[in-house]
Amino acid sequence: MNAIEIKNLTKRFGKFTAVDHISFNVEEGKVFGFLGPNGSGKSTTIKIICGVLQATEGFAKVLGYDTGTQNANVKKNIGYMSQKFSLYEDLTVNENLDFYAGIYGLNKKDRDERKKGIIALAGLSGREKVITKVLSGGWKQRLALGCALIHQPKLLVLDEPTAGVDPVSRRTFWDIIHKISSLGITVLVTTHYMDEAESCDELAFIFNGKIIEIGAPKDLIKKEGVNNLEDVFIKYVERETNTSTTTSFEDLKFAVKGEE
Ligand SMILES: Nc1ncnc2c1ncn2[C@@H]1O[C@H](COP(=O)(O)OP(=O)(O)OP(=O)(O)O)[C@@H](O)[C@H]1O
Ligand SMILES: [Mg+2]
C-alpha cells in the first residue's frame, strides 16, 4: 500500500511552473527523502500533499484520499512540520501542546497522555511552563515535531526540519525519525544535509520542478560511480545546468587590493 501517490502533479503560479508533471509513490512505513536545490519545488509539492495548496494539474493522494477533494481526511491523517516551524513563540511549551491538541479535538485523557510522551521525547521534562521563544533550536524543533504527532498521524511530512540546528540535535532528531518509522508511520522529509539523506530508505531528486532521479541512496551513489550522495547531488546539478560547480580563484580578484 502506498501512503503517498503522486501522478503528473503540476503547480503553476501565473506563467511560472514551480512543479512540472511529477510522479512518484511513497510506500507505507518508509522514510522518503525529497531532495533538490533551493527553489526546485520541494515545499510547493509538500504544500499540495498537505492540502494547503491546490494542484494545477494531476493529483496527490494521501492514504488513498485525494488532497484536493478529500481535504478533511487528509488533514486527519497527516502531521506537518513546515519549513518555518509552527510554534507560538509567546506561549509556553504546555500551551503550544494544548493548542495543537485542541485543533484536533483530543479529549483530556488522550491529550494528557500524549503530552507526557511528547515532553519526554523532546527532552523538555521540567520545562513545561517555559515560554517557547527562550528554548534552544534543538528543543523547539523537537517540540514542533511533537505538536505534529499529537493526533497520531499515519504520515509525517517534515520540510527541512533540521535547518539551523546543531549536529547533536540533528542526530537525536534523526534517531527519533527512524524510531517513528519503525512504528509504521510513513515519513516524507526534505533536507539539504546529505548525511541525513543517506539514512533514508528512498530518495527523489527534484530540479526545476521535475523529478530527475528516484532510488535508494546506495543505488544512486553506485549508478553515478561516486563515493557519496553529496557528489551525486552535485553531478545532477552539473548535468542539468551544463555547468561546473567549481569556482575559479580568478573570480576572487575583486576582493583584494591589487598593486596598480
Ligand atoms: N506563492 C508563490 N507564488 C509565486 N511563486 C512561488 C510561490 N511559492 C513558491 N514559488 C516559487 O516556486 C519555486 C519553488 O519554490 P519552493 O518553495 O517549492 O522551493 P524549494 O525546493 O522548497 O526551495 P528551498 O530549498 O529554498 O526551500 C520558487 O521559484 C519559488 O519562488
Ligand atoms: Mg522549501
Side-chain angles (χ1 to χ4, degrees):
M1 166 89 178
N2 288 321
I4 303 177
E5 196 187 335
I6 288 181
K7 195 93 202 258
N8 275 328
L9 190 73
T10 301
K11 179 68 188 177
R12 290 190 203 95
F13 297 108
K15 285 193 175 143
F16 176 71
T17 306
V19 176
D20 197 355
H21 297 90
I22 65 169
S23 301
F24 65 88
N25 295 328
V26 179
E27 233 179 280
E28 252 180 348
K30 299 279 185 207
V31 179
F32 191 94
F34 196 31
L35 310 183
N38 296 129
S40 54
K42 301 180 298 295
S43 295
T44 306
T45 305
I46 281 180
K47 286 177 199 163
I48 296 171
I49 292 172
C50 295
V52 178
L53 275 181
Q54 284 283 335
T56 315
E57 261 180 62
F59 67 80
K61 285 185 181 173
V62 167
L63 301 152
Y65 298 114
D66 187 280
T67 57
T69 55
Q70 295 170 294
N71 213 288
N73 283 322
V74 170
K75 293 221 164 98
K76 212 163 35 185
N77 284 296
I78 209 166
Y80 173 39
M81 204 171 140
S82 70
Q83 200 163 342
K84 295 265 169 242
F85 41 77
S86 37
L87 294 171
Y88 291 91
E89 294 263 313
D90 49 355
L91 296 186
T92 64
V93 167
N94 235 331
E95 287 166 343
N96 264 297
L97 289 167
D98 284 342
F99 176 78
Y100 280 92
I103 289 182
Y104 291 105
L106 263 60
N107 63 40
K108 187 174 176 334
K109 183 173 161 285
D110 284 348
R111 185 188 71 191
D112 289 348
E113 220 172 81
R114 290 182 206 169
K115 264 169 62 177
K116 227 195 252 170
I118 289 167
I119 298 270
L121 170 94
L124 281 166
S125 301
R127 293 190 169 78
E128 292 86 342
K129 292 187 178 151
V130 171
I131 296 284
T132 302
K133 75 173 149 225
V134 306
L135 296 176
S136 77
W139 274 328
K140 276 188 195 163
Q141 171 218 41
R142 291 193 294 273
L143 176 60
L145 176 67
C147 290
L149 285 169
I150 202 153
H151 57 301
Q152 298 184 324
K154 295 198 179 80
L155 169 67
L156 190 58
V157 178
L158 310 169
D159 198 354
E160 284 189 44
T162 54
V165 300
D166 69 53
V168 175
S169 296
R170 288 209 292 128
R171 180 67 61 87
T172 312
F173 190 83
W174 273 85
D175 287 346
I176 298 171
I177 299 290
H178 287 294
K179 178 79 190 153
I180 287 169
S181 156
S182 74
L183 299 172
I185 299 171
T186 312
V187 181
L188 174 72
V189 57
T190 75
T191 180
H192 290 298
Y193 295 110
M194 293 303 114
D195 58 328
E196 296 181 356
E198 212 150 338
S199 77
C200 293
D201 297 309
E202 206 171 8
L203 299 172
F205 272 86
I206 185 169
F207 188 86
N208 277 348
K210 292 191 176 74
I211 299 280
I212 54 172
E213 202 69 67
I214 297 179
K218 62 173 179 358
D219 293 340
L220 298 179
I221 292 168
K222 202 166 152 196
K223 194 170 166 195
E224 292 303 319
V226 289
N227 292 321
N228 54 53
L229 263 185
E230 192 150 313
D231 290 344
V232 171
F233 192 109
I234 289 168
K235 271 205 157 184
Y236 289 162
V237 173
E238 288 183 337
R239 192 178 302 150
E240 293 296 315
T241 56
N242 238 339
T243 54
S244 163
T245 51
T246 319
T247 306
S248 152
F249 290 114
E250 288 290 307
D251 297 346
L252 288 173
K253 273 199 169 156
F254 72 90
V256 277
K257 265 192 189 154
E259 309 241 335
E260 292 296 319

